[in-house]
Structure formats: structure tokens, C-alpha cells
Amino acid sequence: MTARTTSTAPAVPSASRPSGRWSQERRLEFIDYRLRWEGRLNRADLIEFFGISVPQASLDIARYTELAPNNIRYDASARTYLSGTSFAPLYNTDNPQRYLNDLLASASGLCSEGSLFIGWAPPVGVTPVPTRLVSTQTLGRLLHAIRNSETVKVKYQSLTSEEPQSRTLSPHALAFDGFRWHVRAFCHSRQSFRDFVIARMLAIRPGSASTVSPEDDRAWHTMVTLVIAPHPGLPPPQRKVIELDYGMEDGEARLQCRQALLFYLLRHLGFEGRQAVTPQAQQIILKNEDEVACHFDGTSALSRRSS
């Protein structure tokens, strides 16, 4: 990762930056991260995480102190390094979303040992969701087909038919709707690009070279802007907190979404099949509803149901 310089620390000359996952720059980023989110660091943290020697850990801390003297101070009584009162990160460690994503990955057990910089962590609760099982063979075959522009022949169980159907697909992308993984593919029997839930593929085998270009999937390549705002029926203090909750500026937030995934986003935001609900329950509105609805072939997506 390229270091981001501040007014209190000179840039690290690119020629002096070692490469590799466990390079000194990686260790400097680790120091930066721990000081920002945990407020403290010991040589033992570096030694344990990276498997380096005591002298090397001391050199890394000295180098970091040289680059950002206002970021770190030594507390002799606690025998530890603490974050400076005018801390300004050298790296992209100041992003709350990065830390929260790391915390989520750690709490969910979705990361391998040594892949995250988190040391101490607060108690974390994660809402459980049903596990969507995906076959290793199926995923591997789909990835191969996407990379090599090939077709696959699948036995697919949809919710619109009682029995599994044989389909020939030309897959070109994967998509996650927040709960399930889909493959975006051209269906040769229906002659259109569609989403297929990977877990519903009961069998899969290789096909042949595909003649379909992913560029023809207009819905995948078309980006749609959603403009959301607090529900006007909320009193001003509640509208203000909704603005903060969604990171709005000037009373609105703009979300970019692929047209092919638009329905899933609308459903997550609570706009699918809306009924008359209180402002406190709805909380947000879609300011450009008519514009967004035009991306659903004349049928308003706000009342569309998933099959």
C-alpha cells in the first residue's frame, strides 16, 4: 500500500520501499493501525504478528517515529508506546469502515489467522443469517467458464417450475445480493441475460466456447443513481439523525447500483412492495422514484416480487 503523507511526516521515498507482504512498509502500516484504533503498541505486538526479531521490531518503531513523530510517544510508566494527541495517519488506517469490516470479519470467523491487524477488540455481536451452501465443484466450474468465455450446462431448480430444468448458460460475472450469491449469465433457452442462484444449480458440466459477449448485457453495465432522503413526515430532529445514519449531505445520499442488481437494493432499502407505513417505520424515501422505475422495462420495481 502506498503511504499517504501528512504535514507532520515526510514522504517515504519510493525507491526505499521494500516489497512483499511482510515488508517494513507493511509493518509500518500495522503500527499506524494499532495506534489509531487501539491507542497503544508494544514491540511484542510486531514480534508476534510478523515473526520478526526484537532488534527488527525496534528498528520498525524507530522508523515510524522518524516518519511521524507526532503520532507516537513512549510511556515509561506503562512501558508501552501510545498514540500521540495530534495523531495523523500515514496510511489508510483512519477509515472507520475499514476497521468495522475487519471487526465483522474477525467476529464472523471469515478471516484467516494473521490477515487482520486487529489485536484487542470490543465484544461484538453479529446477527446470524442462514448459510447458503455453494458446491465447490459448481463454483469452480463457473469461475473457469467466466475466465475462459465458455458455456456451462446446468440442471437448475427455480421457484417458478416444479421440476429442475436443463439450461445452457454463458456466465460472465458473480453478484451478491446481501444474502445469496448469483451468477450473471446469458440463458440460451430464454435468449436473455438473467441471474441464477448458485445454490440452486443441482448439477453442472462444461459446455463449449461461448459466442455471447458480456458487453451485450446492458443491464449489468448500466449504472443507476438512487437519491434517498429522510422521510418528510419525520420531525426535524429525527430527519437529522437519519441524515447522519445514512451519511447524507445536504439532506440526501446518492447510491450507485448496477441496473441488474437494482431490485435487490430496493428490497434491502425497504422500497419493494411498499404499503402504507408510518414515517418512523419507513424512515427514508426515494426522491427519484420515477427515474429509477424506468429501468425496469416499464414495470415499477417498487412492487416487484422475487420469484
Side-chain angles (χ1 to χ4, degrees), residues 29-266:
E29 183 185 359
F30 174 88
I31 295 173
D32 206 51
Y33 187 100
R34 286 287 179 94
L35 289 174
R36 175 61 188 88
W37 296 113
E38 299 181 23
R40 60 180 59 223
L41 174 90
N42 290 310
R43 284 185 305 179
D45 296 330
L46 286 161
I47 295 168
E48 180 181 352
F49 191 91
F50 293 101
I52 59 177
S53 65
V54 173
Q56 183 61 65
S58 298
L59 288 173
D60 291 339
I61 294 175
R63 177 57 173 161
Y64 185 87
T65 303
E66 176 187 351
L67 293 171
N70 294 329
N71 282 6
I72 187 171
R73 61 186 177 87
Y74 185 70
D75 187 323
S77 61
R79 301 181 66 181
T80 189
Y81 291 93
L82 301 178
S83 177
T85 55
S86 56
F87 183 89
L90 279 178
Y91 296 84
N92 183 29
T93 58
D94 205 39
N95 186 342
Q97 196 58 53
R98 173 184 174 180
Y99 178 78
L100 292 175
N101 285 341
D102 288 350
L103 203 60
L104 178 60
S106 177
S108 303
L110 299 177
C111 59
S112 58
E113 184 177 356
S115 61
L116 301 177
F117 287 167
I118 288 179
W120 172 89
V124 177
V126 179
T127 303
V129 295
T131 301
R132 305 284 183 170
L133 298 179
V134 173
S135 162
T136 302
Q137 178 187 6
T138 299
L139 180 58
R141 177 56 60 188
L142 289 173
L143 294 174
H144 179 88
I146 292 172
R147 182 170 187 174
N148 295 283
S149 300
E150 295 176 354
T151 66
V152 291
K153 296 181 181 298
V154 303
K155 181 177 291 185
Y156 189 76
Q157 178 64 71
S158 70
L159 297 185
T160 57
S161 60
E162 294 184 3
E163 299 295 331
Q165 302 292 316
S166 296
R167 305 281 185 92
T168 298
L169 308 178
S170 289
H172 72 83
L174 299 181
F176 185 63
D177 68 4
F179 294 97
R180 302 175 302 188
W181 280 97
H182 302 248
V183 63
R184 185 71 178 175
F186 182 82
C187 177
H188 289 264
S189 61
R190 297 195 178 185
Q191 287 294 296
S192 62
F193 287 97
R194 293 172 174 264
D195 298 335
F196 295 89
V197 180
I198 298 178
R200 295 178 184 169
M201 294 181 176
L202 307 182
I204 186 170
R205 57 189 177 90
S208 57
S210 175
T211 58
V212 176
S213 171
E215 299 301 318
D216 292 336
D217 189 353
R218 294 179 58 188
W220 179 263
H221 295 288
T222 299
M223 301 302 296
V224 181
T225 300
L226 287 76
V227 184
I228 61 174
H231 196 293
L234 292 172
Q238 292 182 1
R239 289 202 301 270
K240 182 62 178 178
V241 78
I242 293 299
E243 291 178 15
L244 295 173
D245 199 20
Y246 286 86
M248 297 180 181
E249 295 183 5
D250 298 324
E252 65 181 33
R254 293 176 175 266
L255 307 177
Q256 291 285 323
C257 180
R258 295 184 186 276
Q259 181 182 347
L261 305 179
L262 194 52
F263 168 65
Y264 307 119
L265 177 57
L266 291 171

Side-chain angles (χ1 to χ4, degrees), residues 10-33:
V12 183
S14 58
S16 67
R17 294 176 184 166
S19 60
R21 183 184 179 195
W22 305 127
S23 66
Q24 186 183 56
E25 185 173 359
R26 176 77 168 167
R27 298 193 297 271
L28 295 179
E29 183 185 359
F30 174 88
I31 295 173
D32 206 51
Y33 187 100

